Amino acid sequence: MPHPHIPSSSSSLQIRPSISRPPASSAFPSKIPSQPIIQSTSPPILPTTALQFLSTPPPSSRLLLFVGEGPYLKIFDHVSKNLLLTRKVLEHGGVVHGICTSSVTKTDHGFVTNVLIWGGRLLCFLKLKNCDHDDESGGVKIEVLSTQVEAEDWVLDACFRTDSCKIRDGYEGEMGGEALMVMAHNVCFLVSLGTVGDGLSLTLERVSSGPRCMLYSAHVVWGVESDARKVLVAAGTVFGEVLLWEFECSSHGGGEEGKLYHRILGHEGSVFGVRISAERTLPGEGGGVKRLLASCSDDRTIRVRDISDSKVRGSERAEEDNNKYAAMAIGHASRIWAVRFLCSLNDDCYILSFGEDSVTNVWRLRSRKDDRGPAKFALKHKKAYEFHSGKNIWAAALYQRPDGKPVVCTGGADGRIVSYEPVLEEDSRHQKERFSTYKIQDIARQLMDSETKPIEIREDNKEPQREARSLEIFKALEGEWKISRTIESAIRTYPSGNFEGSAKFEPRPPTDAAFIAEYLYSESGKFTTSHGFAFPASRSYVYRLERRTRNVSAWFVKPDDSSAVDYIFHQLEFQKQDSGGSLGHHGNVEETTVAKGYHLCVDDHYSPHYVFRFNNRKLRDWSLRYSVKGPQKDYVANAQYTQVARSNDGAIESKPHPSISATNAPQYQTASASYAELLADTLKAYAWVSKSAFLLTTSQGRVLLGTLQEPGPSQNLKAVEFMTPAIKWDLIGQLSELRSSSAVAGDVSLQCAFFGGGGGTVFEYQHNLRLMKPVIVLPRKVFFLHARSSLTEEVPTNEADSYSVLLFAACYGSSVAYVYGKAARNTDSSNLFEMLYTISMPEDFTVSSCCFLRCEGLLILGSRSGAMAFYYLSHSSRKDELCTVNITHQVHEDAVTNIQRFPGYHNDKDERMMILTTGRDGKYAISKVTSLTSSSKHPSLELEIVHEGTPPFGPYIEGARVDASNQNLLLWGFRSIWFVVWNETRRQEVMSVECGGCHRNWAYDPLLHSNGGGVFVWTKSSTYHIHLQSEASHDVLQFGGHGREIKAMAMSNELKDAQPGYRYLATGAEDTTIQILATQAEEPRSSQTALRCLSVVTKHTAGIQQLRWSSDGTFLFSAGGFEEFFVWRICGMPYLGVGIVCESSCPAVTAEGALRIMDFAVREIKDSASSDGHIALWPLNDILNPKAQSSRGGFNWQDRLSVHQSSIKSMVAIQLSDHSFLITTGGDDGAIGLTRVDHNSLNLASTGSSLLIPKAHAAAINAVEYVTTTVHGGKDPFHRLWFASSGNDQRLKIWEVTFSLGHPEIKNLTIEKRLDLHISIADLSSLASGVNEEGKQVLFAAGIGIESWAFHTP
């Protein structure tokens, strides 16, 4: 029945020739063009199915890694991570399943070794040898020794013989060439390399067999118990049995039938992996020399059996053991594919298991004595490594270095190849990770046994220790002092007189590791002689506090450099006091401390005498008397020092009290504590104050300083990695205000920390002086602090010159916050903090993060609800006016944990900047902030999110750091019970620590300018833990792609915001993720692939079905299951390569959301394909014209053309002219259809005709893609275009289509197949084409992996 809306003038022509040729009068060229040129642009991204290590002898001494991916063999240099060569070794659709290498033989030119590769039933014999390092192969060369051989059954395992016999059949090469293989029906074959005529060939000879059964796995060992003829085979069957059998194989082949030793039952599913260990000595009771057998199964268990007694069981009747495994453990969330044995440095035995869940588990196997039978074992889980995405670890290789350290390499379905050193035990020799714990008992014991006791200030005012008093005096000297000195000389040649001026004690980092703190002392003023002559005078010294003894000493400075230390002047020897002090006026306690010194300068004797006067334990003034006697000198100099401070008008005046008086703030005191008191304490908050030191507060208000064990003078921080991280604990003091509250802000660049107390007092700790004092009093309890140095770029410009530190503080229950500044050139010894701004926060705004931006004069606050507030400090008055918010924006769905400037895209012309934020919603965001107005009174801002990422951990993302040295973005936070550091640029996990989760006190300091790592400290079960890591937890040799099959792929045009020539390839897979890949390599030999994953999008909850780009490449459209359709905005992004954010989503059509969006069109193509083999034409005018749509009764198809016999799997269209286009389809019937549609814009009619190429492929055609098109002029202009097709037959075919624009009939179309080749991609789903950065046409094929080619038409 005809459709009611089809015009009567329309017609449909269906022609089904195999190939249609033009008439003789056609203007087409009479000569058929030559075959197009197509070549692989880079190694494909395929699942890794085989791995094998090979260590080469000196002088090269390289560790090579053989990798099998599809039919390809890759060889990596494990140390440099460079890909040395790629070679296709298997033909006819073969996939490499296993690799084994013979022993390496040294030659005059280096080394040579034989390599046996198998996959399914296919075999290949290669020879590897070294060559010139300048060669493109990177110093190694592969030579094929024989043609590919097909065995009669699947090969499960193979090994070379271990003796040094020559190759049989007369071939004597550099090394042996015999190997044994175990087939899928438990049969062993001998593989021999022999000569046939002038060439070499492989011969297969059956040598022995075990019990007849179907196997899933096998492991063969040739050379047992020092007998080169003895072969031991372990076989895992389909029915859950493990068979252990043995036979003897001579050097000339042949052998006896297998002798079955064990038929081990117990597994409840198919046995996927078996492994025989080498003979080794196991420690513990029941240990000794053992040979073990491990197996893994579909039942998710790992089972271990002691097979040491197999050598004496020689009976033909095998023992049937039912559930008599020596050890068993359930190891994975899904099936386990393989197991491996590993021996540690202390001969402990470990087992590694690799599963379908992409996890590598490490198990410790220890023997134990069982009174009821023979020795048994226990499996204890040690660690899990999750470095792959998606499903399945298909391949693993282990290598034991000469020093005993193991190396593990794994490859999975995602094509990712990772290498790491497993942490087998808490061994101080492990190179990358260190871990230690301290209970409160350990800290208390160290504090009680420490050589340097904390200062004692007791309520009964007894005399403090001299050592503690020296520290107290040294801390109190900081600042500026008014000085008055009188010199009385007994020699007329040396003048007498008076000196009036000022002196400064300026703290600076110690210039010698033996000292813990250091002052630069400088004085200046006017000296007036007794005769009335006046002149300016100045001098400088350096005062130092010794680290070990806390002694104070004065040093001369160099004559040509008034700040450089020259040699020692004298050391202060504090004298014992006779009394504990006296009661002065108004009840004040007055104390005096005396110190003496001595210095001999040639013949002159200097005797300094210090008198320090304290009032209520505060140093108010002090005096210094020098007695100098010598041949040319005889005088006495008396100097009086009085503390000074600046008044409000800037004049210097005497100050009888510090910045915070004793009436409104508690005075900081260091206090002693008994062992029992320390044991009753619990640990609270952390703050880093340097790269090797942090502060720790306790519930009793104590402040502890933890210092990592310091490296030697010629070492750096990396030297710590070779030692268990020992912590030296010091008790800084005790603050009663910190018992109820402890808001902490530390800054490594400032080497200081701030603590907020329950009474509103903020304390500052200066690490170089070990000094802590109150600096600010707030009206309420402090709950948030944030400090930044003006030396960074994150403080307002107008304050940077006058303030060295900016401090943001907020209180509980208050909508008002404060910004304080610490004067950069403070002349007051108290280092006053001045309140700069009062901040009015929005309603219900609880601060969780803060950031100062210097160039823009901005303060940005983040809240616990995910909102952000912006303040223009540079446009606000100070102190007396509230700074009101300029803009608020909801960036995250939960608390904003970190705000910082993101480098790049700062341009004075467009006045924009980038900020990076992290949140506890599992996301991080990069936003562009633009100034809309330049008004100083009413400035306004606009915030636009340009990138939003979801790293594979969370949802608690707590911090971020941009490492400019290696262009990496680091993120850290929590995943379940793990603390995780993630490199977002490299898409690599850097560190993971099992800490118990996020609900605890912790602190992390990243180790920048390296491959990753850092120091992580945390509290768990009232115990302090520290994890120090010098490098990333693993190395990535190849980054790979999706962990599941790819279902959609699309290539963009060049983006305006990206680098020139940059195009992005988007892929969507069954793992529900979208990957954005760059189409060019970052480094020529880094990963040797032109495809690098820049970003992974995880918003979809079902498999991706289709991806499309907008014409300008700024938008990406994705569709999948559950009626999910998203629009993504794309832009270039520094450090990441691409910025992506979800712009919009399509509402679900049904309430259940059960439909799956299979395809869609971005441009105006008026066609659709269906499962009945028809193409439907839809008039877009019905959509664009609402009136026409209403009159026609909705949006309806206009015409349907029958093309295929069954469903259409793929479709692509190309515009030929303003009114015609060509549709190419691939069907489930293996045919290709070409349909030309001509559209009449006057009467909205369309006419179409189709041409079908049956049997174009041997299976369903899943993808068709236009590659290139050209237009030829003349009287009768014609089009020539090329398109590619592929499907389940793993064939890629290139077709050339030629047609005339003047003759729209389909019969004038000519199509020729120009190329037919096999590809490595299984389950192919999509093709994509485009132009790369070099201007060449490229073609990509995706399915289980990605393969690419450069395409050139003749």
Side-chain angles (χ1 to χ4, degrees):
M1 182 176 179
H3 195 278
H5 298 298
I6 297 180
S8 58
S9 59
S10 66
S11 61
S12 178
L13 177 63
Q14 300 182 25
I15 305 175
R16 297 180 180 269
S18 59
I19 292 181
S20 178
R21 293 189 177 275
S25 59
S26 172
F28 299 161
S30 58
K31 184 179 180 180
I32 300 297
S34 61
Q35 180 173 306
I37 300 174
I38 185 170
Q39 61 183 5
S40 178
T41 58
S42 63
I45 300 176
L46 298 171
T48 303
T49 51
L51 292 171
Q52 178 67 37
F53 278 114
L54 177 69
S55 178
T56 65
S60 61
S61 300
R62 304 170 76 178
L63 183 58
L64 304 180
L65 179 66
F66 293 79
V67 179
E69 293 182 355
Y72 295 94
L73 173 67
K74 297 180 179 179
I75 301 179
F76 286 86
D77 186 311
H78 182 265
V79 177
S80 66
K81 306 178 186 60
N82 288 336
L83 178 62
L84 303 182
L85 63 85
T86 302
R87 181 76 173 266
K88 189 174 184 179
V89 293
L90 295 182
E91 301 292 341
H92 312 300
V95 176
V96 178
H97 290 162
I99 305 169
C100 68
T101 60
S102 64
S103 57
V104 180
T105 301
K106 296 185 66 174
T107 65
D108 295 337
H109 304 287
F111 69 90
V112 64
T113 184
N114 280 359
V115 183
L116 178 62
I117 296 175
W118 70 91
R121 296 166 57 181
L122 301 178
L123 300 173
C124 183
F125 219 106
L126 309 174
K127 180 169 70 174
L128 176 74
K129 60 183 180 180
N130 65 321
C131 61
D132 188 359
H133 280 270
D134 294 332
D135 191 87
E136 293 181 358
S137 61
V140 295
K141 184 177 181 180
I142 283 288
E143 178 183 339
V144 179
L145 296 181
S146 70
T147 58
Q148 179 175 290
V149 175
E150 186 172 355
E152 66 181 38
D153 202 353
W154 274 54
V155 181
L156 297 182
D157 191 37
C159 72
F160 282 92
R161 66 181 302 117
T162 57
D163 63 342
S164 58
C165 65
K166 296 180 180 180
I167 301 178
R168 56 198 300 254
D169 296 334
Y171 174 71
E172 297 185 6
E174 292 103 331
M175 55 175 302
E178 291 181 332
L180 275 177
M181 300 187 308
V182 182
M183 302 297 190
H185 283 84
N186 209 16
V187 178
C188 277
F189 277 77
L190 180 66
V191 184
S192 303
L193 185 65
T195 59
V196 177
D198 296 333
L200 300 174
S201 66
L202 283 180
T203 58
L204 303 181
E205 178 182 355
R206 178 169 176 163
V207 292
S208 186
S209 63
R212 189 73 172 174
C213 57
M214 284 290 297
L215 305 183
Y216 254 136
S217 58
H219 183 215
V220 56
V221 179
W222 191 357
V224 181
E225 302 167 14
S226 303
D227 186 351
R229 298 175 301 170
K230 193 172 183 180
V231 179
L232 189 62
V233 180
T237 71
V238 175
F239 303 105
E241 299 175 332
V242 178
L243 308 176
L244 183 69
W245 56 284
E246 183 186 80
F247 69 95
E248 289 189 358
C249 182
S250 67
S251 61
H252 298 287
E256 60 182 15
E257 287 300 314
K259 186 178 298 183
L260 180 63
Y261 284 141
H262 295 281
R263 185 189 299 271
I264 306 173
L265 309 179
H267 281 295
E268 298 178 359
S270 301
V271 179
F272 292 132
V274 290
R275 204 69 178 180
I276 301 171
S277 75
E279 288 188 339
R280 64 185 68 213
T281 301
L282 297 181
E285 295 185 4
V289 179
K290 301 290 184 181
R291 185 184 289 274
L292 304 175
L293 172 67
S295 60
C296 59
S297 169
D298 194 17
D299 60 4
R300 301 183 299 165
T301 64
I302 302 164
R303 299 173 186 260
V304 182
R305 171 65 192 254
D306 182 6
I307 58 173
S308 306
D309 59 345
S310 299
K311 57 185 178 182
V312 297
R313 271 194 189 274
S315 63
E316 296 182 0
R317 180 176 174 270
E319 175 191 10
E320 294 191 3
D321 294 337
N322 189 9
N323 294 317
K324 290 186 178 180
Y325 284 88
M328 188 271 288
I330 297 178
H332 291 258
S334 54
R335 294 174 289 185
I336 308 174
W337 297 129
V339 288
R340 295 288 188 274
F341 284 97
L342 186 62
C343 186
S344 70
L345 297 171
N346 57 3
D347 291 329
D348 279 346
C349 185
Y350 290 82
I351 292 179
L352 276 66
S353 59
F354 313 91
E356 185 182 18
D357 54 3
S358 296
V359 176
T360 301
N361 282 319
V362 181
W363 307 84
R364 188 176 186 179
L365 181 68
R366 296 299 301 268
S367 60
R368 64 168 182 253
K369 190 69 176 178
D370 195 329
D371 296 335
R372 295 172 296 177
K376 293 192 176 183
F377 304 87
L379 278 175
K380 182 179 180 181
H381 185 264
K382 297 297 294 183
K383 193 173 180 63
Y385 294 96
E386 302 180 46
F387 299 141
H388 295 272
S389 61
K391 285 187 175 183
N392 300 313
I393 293 180
W394 290 127
L398 276 70
Y399 175 73
Q400 205 92 16
R401 289 176 174 168
D403 59 1
K405 295 176 182 177
V407 178
V408 178
C409 189
T410 57
D414 56 357
R416 193 179 187 92
I417 302 174
V418 299
S419 174
Y420 54 93
E421 297 178 16
V423 181
L424 302 182
E425 61 273 310
E426 287 71 30
D427 185 0
S428 62
R429 289 170 288 183
H430 193 271
Q431 290 190 359
K432 294 184 179 180
E433 299 183 20
R434 293 292 177 271
F435 173 79
S436 63
T437 61
Y438 286 85
K439 294 184 178 181
I440 191 65
Q441 297 94 314
D442 303 324
I443 299 175
R445 191 178 301 112
Q446 187 181 134
L447 291 176
M448 300 303 295
D449 298 339
S450 175
E451 294 182 3
T452 56
K453 300 293 184 181
I455 301 173
E456 290 191 60
I457 301 179
R458 303 183 183 274
E459 295 180 359
D460 56 4
N461 294 319
K462 291 183 179 180
E463 179 187 7
Q465 302 174 3
R466 273 177 283 174
E467 181 181 296
R469 177 49 62 94
S470 67
L471 175 61
E472 185 178 9
I473 291 175
F474 189 86
K475 293 178 179 179
L477 288 175
E478 180 185 355
E480 185 172 356
W481 300 82
K482 183 179 179 181
I483 179 173
S484 177
R485 180 183 292 117
T486 301
I487 299 178
E488 296 179 359
S489 176
I491 301 176
R492 291 185 178 182
T493 56
Y494 197 93
S496 301
N498 296 321
F499 174 82
E500 299 291 337
S502 62
K504 294 181 182 178
F505 286 84
E506 296 179 316
R508 67 181 188 181
T511 55
D512 191 320
F515 299 93
I516 199 171
E518 186 173 295
Y519 289 126
L520 175 61
Y521 171 87
S522 59
E523 65 176 45
S524 60
K526 184 172 65 174
F527 180 74
T528 305
T529 67
S530 57
H531 301 288
F533 179 72
F535 56 89
S538 63
R539 69 174 62 184
S540 296
Y541 297 105
V542 171
Y543 279 79
R544 288 172 158 180
L545 180 65
E546 192 173 349
R547 181 182 299 274
R548 186 177 63 87
T549 63
R550 295 299 194 266
N551 288 334
V552 181
S553 55
W555 296 68
F556 290 108
V557 297
K558 294 182 178 181
D560 56 344
D561 187 351
S562 60
S563 63
V565 180
D566 196 356
Y567 59 94
I568 191 169
F569 185 10
H570 59 267
Q571 180 172 295
L572 280 70
E573 297 179 0
F574 290 89
Q575 307 300 301
K576 183 177 180 181
Q577 295 178 234
D578 296 331
S579 62
S582 61
L583 194 64
H585 296 289
H586 308 293
N588 295 333
V589 178
E590 298 177 350
E591 292 177 290
T592 300
T593 299
V594 177
K596 297 181 179 181
Y598 175 76
H599 174 72
L600 175 63
C601 182
V602 189
D603 296 328
D604 298 329
H605 299 264
Y606 290 79
S607 299
H609 184 275
Y610 294 81
V611 178
F612 299 96
R613 287 173 285 275
F614 289 82
N615 188 327
N616 281 345
R617 311 205 62 81
K618 298 177 184 179
L619 182 62
R620 298 307 182 195
D621 57 82
W622 56 285
S623 62
L624 173 57
R625 181 177 183 270
Y626 277 106
S627 296
V628 182
K629 289 187 178 293
Q632 303 296 328
K633 297 180 181 178
D634 186 3
Y635 67 89
V636 176
N638 287 291
Q640 297 291 328
Y641 293 82
T642 305
Q643 188 180 17
V644 298
R646 292 189 179 275
S647 61
N648 292 334
D649 57 2
I652 297 179
E653 61 177 9
S654 296
K655 275 283 187 180
H657 56 80
S659 58
I660 300 180
S661 65
T663 59
N664 61 2
Q667 178 65 30
Y668 164 75
Q669 293 183 349
T670 55
S672 63
S674 66
Y675 183 72
E677 290 174 335
L678 291 173
L679 288 181
D681 218 342
T682 56
L683 309 179
K684 291 181 67 176
Y686 297 90
W688 286 99
V689 292
S690 75
K691 285 295 181 181
S692 60
F694 58 90
L695 292 180
L696 171 60
T697 63
T698 70
S699 60
Q700 296 299 320
R702 292 184 177 89
V703 180
L704 305 176
L705 174 65
T707 306
L708 273 68
Q709 188 171 355
E710 296 188 2
S714 61
Q715 298 172 312
N716 52 30
L717 181 60
K718 284 195 174 183
V720 183
E721 71 196 25
F722 299 103
M723 300 174 288
T724 301
I727 306 297
K728 180 181 180 298
W729 296 98
D730 293 297
L731 178 60
I732 300 299
Q734 187 171 2
L735 298 167
S736 59
E737 278 211 12
L738 296 185
R739 295 180 178 179
S740 60
S741 175
S742 185
V744 181
D747 192 286
V748 174
S749 63
L750 293 171
Q751 290 203 348
C752 71
F754 295 89
F755 297 84
T761 305
V762 177
F763 298 85
E764 179 190 19
Y765 169 78
Q766 299 180 28
H767 183 56
N768 58 344
L769 298 177
R770 304 299 193 269
L771 175 64
M772 191 168 181
K773 60 184 178 182
V775 292
I776 297 170
V777 177
L778 298 177
R780 296 189 181 186
K781 182 178 179 181
V782 183
F783 89 93
F784 182 84
L785 293 171
H786 176 82
R788 272 295 176 263
S789 169
S790 66
L791 301 178
T792 67
E793 287 294 318
E794 298 184 350
V795 296
T797 304
N798 58 333
E799 305 297 338
D801 296 334
S802 55
Y803 294 96
S804 61
V805 180
L806 288 182
L807 178 66
F808 175 87
C811 301
Y812 280 102
S814 175
S815 61
V816 178
Y818 309 92
V819 176
Y820 287 83
K822 181 179 181 180
R825 299 178 178 87
N826 202 336
T827 59
D828 188 357
S829 62
S830 60
N831 284 317
L832 286 175
F833 274 76
E834 180 183 358
M835 188 177 71
L836 304 179
Y837 304 100
T838 306
I839 307 298
S840 176
M841 294 183 293
E843 187 177 356
D844 298 328
F845 192 95
T846 304
V847 179
S848 59
S849 55
C850 174
C851 176
F852 292 104
L853 295 181
R854 172 182 179 181
C855 297
E856 293 77 11
L858 275 176
L859 169 66
I860 307 176
L861 302 179
S863 74
R864 292 183 180 178
S865 63
M868 292 172 58
F870 293 75
Y871 298 84
Y872 258 124
L873 300 183
S874 58
H875 297 291
S876 304
S877 61
R878 296 164 58 178
K879 292 185 180 180
D880 54 349
E881 181 180 331
L882 292 176
C883 295
T884 57
V885 65
N886 295 99
I887 183 177
T888 57
H889 196 284
Q890 191 76 24
V891 178
H892 294 273
E893 298 175 3
D894 207 328
V896 181
T897 56
N898 179 269
I899 309 172
Q900 60 181 271
R901 178 189 295 279
F902 188 75
Y905 288 133
H906 180 72
N907 191 315
D908 293 336
K909 294 182 178 180
D910 57 15
E911 296 183 356
R912 64 179 182 174
M913 61 178 173
M914 309 287 281
I915 59 173
L916 168 67
T917 60
T918 60
R920 290 181 181 157
D921 56 354
K923 299 177 183 178
Y924 74 96
I926 299 174
S927 305
K928 180 176 68 175
V929 182
T930 306
S931 177
L932 299 180
T933 63
S934 59
S935 172
S936 60
K937 293 185 178 181
H938 303 286
S940 59
L941 298 172
E942 182 180 67
L943 184 70
E944 178 187 8
I945 300 177
V946 294
H947 177 70
E948 192 174 64
T950 307
F953 69 92
Y956 297 99
I957 304 179
E958 300 292 338
R961 184 72 61 88
V962 177
D963 191 349
S965 63
N966 52 24
Q967 302 290 303
N968 287 336
L969 171 61
L970 297 179
L971 304 169
W972 56 84
F974 294 89
R975 177 188 64 224
S976 183
I977 62 173
W978 298 85
F979 175 79
V980 178
V981 181
W982 173 260
N983 189 321
E984 180 69 2
T985 303
R986 295 175 56 85
R987 304 292 307 172
Q988 176 184 354
E989 182 179 289
V990 172
M991 184 171 75
S992 62
V993 183
E994 186 178 356
C995 64
C998 62
H999 301 292
R1000 64 197 64 256
N1001 293 312
W1002 62 275
Y1004 170 70
D1005 185 48
L1007 182 62
L1008 302 180
H1009 314 296
S1010 68
N1011 292 329
V1015 187
F1016 176 59
V1017 294
W1018 74 98
T1019 302
K1020 181 181 179 181
S1021 301
S1022 299
T1023 302
Y1024 162 84
H1025 299 71
I1026 178 171
H1027 180 97
L1028 188 149
Q1029 187 169 312
S1030 62
E1031 298 179 15
S1033 58
H1034 64 287
D1035 297 321
V1036 180
L1037 280 73
Q1038 180 173 282
F1039 285 95
H1042 290 276
R1044 298 286 300 277
E1045 58 270 25
I1046 298 173
K1047 304 297 291 184
M1049 178 174 59
M1051 188 172 183
S1052 73
N1053 292 323
E1054 184 175 346
L1055 272 72
K1056 61 181 181 180
D1057 287 336
Q1059 299 179 18
Y1062 238 64
R1063 288 171 174 81
Y1064 298 128
L1065 187 71
T1067 57
E1070 280 293 332
D1071 59 5
T1072 74
T1073 66
I1074 299 173
Q1075 291 190 3
I1076 309 296
L1077 300 101
T1079 57
Q1080 62 181 11
E1082 184 177 15
E1083 297 178 5
R1085 301 188 68 86
S1086 59
S1087 61
Q1088 283 297 301
T1089 176
L1091 297 177
R1092 291 184 300 108
C1093 181
L1094 303 177
S1095 183
V1096 177
V1097 182
T1098 58
K1099 191 175 180 64
H1100 280 276
T1101 59
I1104 313 299
Q1105 299 298 321
Q1106 190 56 270
L1107 296 170
R1108 306 280 190 196
W1109 287 91
S1110 63
S1111 58
D1112 58 357
T1114 57
F1115 290 98
L1116 175 67
F1117 305 86
S1118 63
F1122 298 144
E1123 302 180 18
E1124 294 176 339
F1125 183 90
F1126 299 114
V1127 182
W1128 309 91
R1129 179 159 40 87
I1130 310 293
C1131 66
M1133 185 65 58
Y1135 292 87
L1136 300 176
V1138 63
I1140 181 168
V1141 63
C1142 185
E1143 189 76 9
S1144 183
S1145 61
C1146 180
V1149 178
T1150 63
E1152 299 81 7
L1155 300 181
R1156 179 182 298 179
I1157 302 176
M1158 300 298 296
D1159 205 348
F1160 57 90
V1162 176
R1163 51 189 178 182
E1164 297 182 5
I1165 299 176
K1166 321 173 189 65
D1167 60 289
S1168 64
S1170 61
S1171 59
D1172 59 0
H1174 286 69
I1175 294 176
L1177 305 178
W1178 302 76
L1180 289 182
N1181 301 73
D1182 289 354
I1183 299 178
L1184 302 177
N1185 188 350
K1187 294 182 179 180
Q1189 181 178 351
S1190 176
S1191 62
R1192 287 173 171 262
F1195 183 47
N1196 299 285
W1197 55 266
Q1198 184 188 69
D1199 200 356
R1200 296 177 75 246
L1201 304 176
S1202 177
V1203 181
H1204 293 270
Q1205 297 178 0
S1206 56
S1207 63
I1208 297 176
K1209 302 284 289 184
S1210 58
M1211 179 178 67
V1212 65
I1214 187 172
Q1215 193 83 23
L1216 302 179
S1217 64
D1218 293 339
H1219 303 293
S1220 64
F1221 54 92
L1222 182 68
I1223 303 172
T1224 303
T1225 54
D1228 205 12
D1229 54 2
I1232 292 177
L1234 291 97
T1235 303
R1236 177 166 177 166
V1237 177
D1238 294 278
H1239 175 67
N1240 189 334
S1241 60
L1242 296 179
N1243 56 12
L1244 304 180
S1246 297
T1247 59
S1249 55
S1250 300
L1251 181 147
L1252 191 72
I1253 307 174
K1255 299 181 180 180
H1257 284 263
I1261 300 175
N1262 297 328
V1264 290
E1265 175 71 12
Y1266 289 113
V1267 180
T1268 183
T1269 178
T1270 57
V1271 179
H1272 298 266
K1275 291 184 179 180
D1276 191 5
F1278 65 93
H1279 263 286
R1280 173 174 288 151
L1281 61 87
W1282 304 75
F1283 73 90
S1285 63
S1286 188
N1288 293 337
D1289 58 356
Q1290 290 190 237
R1291 308 294 300 184
L1292 176 68
K1293 300 185 179 183
I1294 306 296
W1295 307 82
E1296 180 192 13
V1297 179
T1298 308
F1299 54 89
S1300 172
L1301 294 177
H1303 302 278
E1305 297 82 6
I1306 197 68
K1307 64 182 181 179
N1308 288 313
L1309 181 145
T1310 300
I1311 181 169
E1312 295 284 347
K1313 181 173 66 177
R1314 294 301 186 189
L1315 193 65
D1316 186 354
L1317 57 89
H1318 182 272
I1319 61 176
S1320 308
I1321 305 299
D1323 292 343
L1324 186 137
S1325 62
S1326 53
L1327 296 169
S1329 66
V1331 180
N1332 63 9
E1333 70 281 357
E1334 298 176 355
K1336 297 180 180 179
Q1337 195 75 29
V1338 290
L1339 178 65
F1340 297 92
I1344 301 181
I1346 302 177
E1347 197 167 2
S1348 61
W1349 303 268
F1351 184 84
H1352 177 68
T1353 59

